[in-house]
Amino acid sequence: MKKIDALKNESPLIFKAYEVAIAAHAGQIRLSGGPYFNHPLATAQNLSDWGLDEITVAAGLLHDVAEDTNYTLEEIKKNFGEEVAFLVEGVTKLGRIKYRGREEQSETLRKMILAMAEDLRVVLIKLADRRHNMQTLSALPLQKQKRIAQETMEIYAPLAYRLGMQKLSGELEDMAFPYLYPKEYKWLLQNIKDRYEERERYLRMIQPIMENALRGAGIGTVLMDFRAKRYSSLYKKLLRYEMDLDKIYDLVALRIVVKTVEDCYGALGIIHKLWTPIPGRIKDYIAMAKPNGYRSLHTTVICEGQKIVEFQVRTKEMHDEAENGIAAHWAYEQIKGSKAYANRRSSIADKKELVWVEQLRSWQKEFTDPKEFIESIKIDFFKDRIFAITPKGEVVDLPQGATPIDFAYQIHTDIGDHCVGAKVNGKIVTLDYKLHSQDVVEIITQKNKKPSASWLEFVATGGAKNKIKSALKNKGWMLEEKKKIIELKITADDRMGVFKDVAGVISRSHVKIISINSVPRGHGKFHAMRIKCDTDDKGKILKIILKLKSIKEIEEIDYRFV
Ligand code: MN
């Protein structure tokens, strides 16, 4: 990784940006001490470390210039060109929005997503900027620390994750965690250190066994190391396992980087020959990458001394991508020597792994209430993902707990709206069936079928919920479908105004009358009324009946649910 100080001697553009930024920020001091220029420098360094192009690195150096100094955007455009100016402007816009409450926060997301669609590099600069701000967060006032840590945890870390930048995402979460959960952080520090060390000692003993076996099979290893689970993700997992550290098998995993894809499977075979794999824990993210682009083989085995160990096997290319995601893609493209930067602007956003970017944008359009949008994004981002498959072999990314209805809506609104049934792995299932990763899901539709309000009780995605609600609202199906209705059967002596009295009692109890039917009985002396009431509240109806009994013409009252 080249230092910017060295890089600027190779690239005239970076050199110029360096000089302009240092002059523009001259005299400004960071709250954490030291000249302000340290901040854009660290930001640009991150971008360079991720392998981004010189335009992005230059924009990183200049990213705070337009906002915080006298050097204008116009000057940037004149001296550095449209593209650098465009990126700086994008970052400046993002920076103006501060997280203060939910409303503001959703707005941040909206703008960010829009910016992303136009040029993902704007988001990458923002992430590089955020990484350094988190590193120096302790210098800020307490209130600000909390706000920025929360914004990082809720927006930027998940965003980095979805861009495949797992390393950055983990770093951001780990940096935010102590500010948001100081007590929990202390607990982890106290309880985990020995465990980590014990696990590492143990894996150090496993490593030579593994190396020997691989060598014996003619598989060369590029790298073998330990990957300790990060505090923030460990904490999230512990919450699901009653805080029992013994139940966390991947506290420290053994990571093997080999040369080719064939070697990955070869290594997996060797691991399974040495130790017994635990069923259901073998994950082939090479054959089927996660939607954020992550590829690797995972397996958990019962290792020496009956200890449970997770192995991760991947190639060098997969390894780089797993660490730096979208940025690694970018770096590869550059190495391959693709076309001009201008053309690349949209090519990354078009990448198949990034279908979710499109998905976010289309969801966002459908949410009229920003609060609902942020809620749905947050839930969908944080839950563990499952990957179901269409009969054509397309992977559909869903949160855990997702049902065939969620699947259907993810594919297309029409498919969701007209869904009547589903087959999972060839078998008919109920619509509230909880999908598993690698399930092949076939949705059965019928043209005139409409969504049911009862679906709202089991769907897992905000997207599906929202689409069902809007379909119900549009067609006004909500009431008929969802509510049970109580029908009163009243036999009353015929007199003028008895209807009015009965209706009066009901409506004074704040129950809406849907319909009244009345037929004369026995020489017109008695009336049998059937009144449909818009309620399923039995208690309310019993009270109404009690009041109705005080009307002296009423002979008999009965009710039933319809
Ligand atoms: Mn900044």
Side-chain angles (χ1 to χ4, degrees):
M1 278 174 234
K2 266 202 178 145
K3 290 271 159 252
I4 299 289
D5 295 275
L7 211 59
K8 75 185 201 302
N9 297 322
E10 292 166 25
S11 156
L13 187 77
I14 292 175
F15 183 83
K16 195 161 61 166
Y18 189 101
E19 295 296 316
V20 164
I22 207 166
H25 288 296
Q28 295 177 349
I29 302 290
R30 287 276 283 179
L31 275 181
S32 51
Y36 192 91
F37 179 68
N38 287 350
H39 169 65
L41 184 63
T43 303
Q45 187 65 56
N46 285 334
L47 294 163
S48 164
D49 291 347
W50 297 340
L52 291 162
D53 59 300
E54 60 173 352
I55 299 240
T56 314
V57 174
L61 282 165
L62 296 167
H63 83 271
D64 278 333
V65 155
E67 182 76 357
D68 298 337
T69 78
N70 294 325
Y71 202 84
T72 64
L73 209 57
E74 277 309 306
E75 286 171 282
I76 295 177
K77 200 180 274 177
K78 206 175 78 204
N79 295 317
F80 295 90
E82 294 249 352
E83 204 169 349
V84 174
F86 173 84
L87 295 177
V88 172
E89 191 183 9
V91 179
T92 306
K93 270 193 216 152
L94 287 185
R96 285 205 188 113
I97 307 136
K98 297 264 159 18
Y99 167 91
R100 289 204 185 79
R102 295 187 168 278
E103 215 85 19
E104 294 275 336
Q105 187 186 34
S106 70
E107 193 56 19
T108 309
L109 248 172
R110 275 164 191 264
K111 293 223 167 146
M112 192 146 63
I113 289 156
L114 291 176
M116 207 156 45
E118 260 200 280
D119 194 323
L120 276 171
R121 288 177 299 174
V122 170
V123 182
L124 294 175
I125 297 169
K126 187 67 200 166
L127 288 170
D129 165 72
R130 179 51 56 112
R131 183 171 184 265
H132 185 247
N133 282 338
M134 287 305 291
Q135 284 165 340
T136 51
L137 192 62
S138 61
L140 297 190
L142 215 73
Q143 195 98 24
K144 252 185 153 178
Q145 287 178 353
K146 272 235 156 37
R147 177 184 73 74
I148 292 172
Q150 195 153 0
E151 190 180 65
T152 301
M153 191 68 114
E154 291 186 0
I155 312 246
Y156 291 102
L159 195 66
Y161 179 81
R162 291 324 255 354
L163 289 170
M165 304 173 83
Q166 311 216 49
K167 191 173 162 204
L168 175 66
S169 166
E171 282 172 352
L172 290 174
E173 279 192 5
D174 263 9
M175 287 191 279
F177 187 68
Y179 292 99
L180 298 175
Y181 305 98
K183 266 190 243 144
E184 291 83 348
Y185 180 66
K186 240 174 127 184
W187 183 88
L188 278 179
L189 282 185
Q190 280 163 1
N191 288 278
I192 214 73
K193 208 171 154 271
D194 296 347
R195 298 271 181 156
Y196 274 137
E197 281 168 8
E198 178 200 314
R199 290 297 280 176
E200 279 218 29
R201 259 199 311 278
Y202 172 78
L203 289 177
R204 251 176 243 294
M205 189 190 84
I206 300 298
Q207 190 171 353
I209 304 176
M210 197 62 229
E211 276 166 353
N212 273 335
L214 287 173
R215 209 175 306 125
I219 296 172
T221 24
V222 179
L223 180 92
M224 202 181 293
D225 67 358
F226 314 113
R227 191 235 33 159
K229 205 168 182 61
R230 291 181 177 280
Y231 283 146
S232 51
S233 68
L234 174 61
Y235 185 72
K236 268 190 258 170
K237 198 161 184 179
L238 275 168
L239 287 177
R240 282 185 280 139
Y241 290 86
E242 294 108 32
M243 302 308 281
D244 185 350
L245 279 164
D246 288 329
K247 288 184 182 152
I248 312 293
Y249 300 146
D250 58 348
L251 195 60
V252 183
L254 193 64
R255 194 149 59 188
I256 303 167
V257 178
V258 294
K259 285 192 187 119
T260 64
V261 172
E262 290 71 39
D263 285 351
C264 289
Y265 290 101
L268 187 73
I270 285 165
I271 296 165
H272 289 167
K273 221 193 272 173
L274 285 169
W275 303 292
T276 312
I278 296 177
R281 303 273 312 214
I282 305 165
K283 285 162 197 158
D284 186 348
Y285 298 123
I286 292 178
M288 201 165 355
K290 286 194 189 182
N292 70 0
Y294 179 77
R295 288 180 299 157
S296 215
L297 298 175
H298 289 192
T299 186
T300 306
V301 301
I302 303 165
C303 210
E304 303 297 312
Q306 304 299 104
K307 280 193 196 280
I308 294 169
V309 178
E310 184 180 290
F311 284 81
Q312 300 175 354
V313 189
R314 52 176 84 148
T315 65
K316 181 76 172 67
E317 187 182 341
M318 293 173 199
H319 183 63
D320 291 344
E321 278 184 22
E323 303 265 287
N324 288 334
I326 186 85
H329 274 291
W330 205 290
Y332 277 114
E333 298 255 313
Q334 251 186 302
I335 291 161
K336 281 187 217 145
S338 56
K339 285 179 203 160
Y341 293 120
N343 295 340
R344 202 175 302 140
R345 183 170 288 176
S346 59
S347 78
I348 288 277
D350 287 344
K351 277 207 182 291
K352 218 181 168 188
E353 303 91 292
L354 292 176
V355 279
W356 70 272
V357 175
E358 266 310 305
Q359 221 167 57
L360 278 181
R361 285 174 62 220
S362 69
W363 283 356
Q364 187 204 11
K365 274 184 222 142
E366 282 163 33
F367 282 88
T368 40
D369 180 359
K371 255 191 228 163
E372 255 181 64
F373 176 63
I374 177 81
E375 274 312 312
S376 88
I377 293 269
K378 264 172 57 185
I379 291 163
D380 292 345
F381 267 175
F382 276 106
K383 275 197 190 165
D384 286 337
R385 314 298 300 181
I386 56 169
F387 309 107
I389 308 162
T390 69
K392 280 185 190 157
E394 288 163 44
V395 178
V396 178
D397 175 14
L398 294 161
Q400 216 153 52
T403 63
I405 299 288
D406 296 290
F407 180 94
Y409 274 111
Q410 194 86 306
I411 297 171
H412 199 279
T413 307
D414 275 348
I415 295 182
D417 282 348
H418 299 127
C419 175
V420 286
K423 275 185 189 174
V424 170
N425 304 322
K427 284 191 193 119
I428 295 273
V429 296
T430 55
L431 289 176
D432 63 354
Y433 179 86
K434 299 264 180 285
L435 295 173
H436 302 98
S437 262
Q438 310 198 11
D439 276 344
V440 177
V441 185
E442 192 184 337
I443 298 296
I444 304 155
T445 57
Q446 216 170 71
K447 253 216 170 111
N448 49 9
K449 173 71 175 131
K450 305 152 185 177
S452 155
S454 66
W455 293 357
L456 290 169
E457 286 163 33
F458 56 76
V459 292
T461 54
K465 216 167 261 179
N466 206 52
K467 284 169 181 172
I468 295 166
K469 274 189 205 155
S470 81
L472 291 170
K473 221 180 281 165
N474 287 347
K475 312 273 154 81
W477 296 322
M478 194 84 152
L479 284 178
E480 299 154 44
E481 287 258 354
K482 173 135 187 161
K483 268 207 175 162
K484 272 191 168 178
I485 287 168
I486 289 178
E487 187 186 66
L488 284 170
K489 236 171 81 186
I490 302 170
T491 314
D493 204 353
D494 195 19
R495 114 171 123 75
M496 281 277 274
V498 72
F499 268 146
K500 214 176 132 225
D501 290 351
V502 169
V505 166
I506 296 170
S507 59
R508 274 195 300 278
S509 309
H510 302 287
V511 168
K512 227 167 81 189
I513 295 170
I514 294 169
S515 66
I516 302 183
N517 268 307
S518 171
V519 282
R521 267 177 55 180
H523 317 293
K525 198 169 180 253
F526 287 102
H527 261 224
M529 296 179 239
R530 285 172 189 275
I531 304 174
K532 281 188 178 155
C533 300
D534 182 13
T535 182
D536 56 1
D537 183 340
K538 202 174 149 187
K540 226 175 198 178
I541 286 296
L542 290 177
K543 272 184 204 153
I544 289 174
I545 289 175
L546 211 68
K547 282 183 198 153
L548 288 175
K549 279 189 175 157
S550 67
I551 300 173
K552 73 175 193 318
E553 289 84 1
I554 289 182
E555 300 272 344
E556 248 183 85
I557 311 177
D558 201 1
Y559 75 94
R560 62 181 185 119
F561 287 97
V562 291

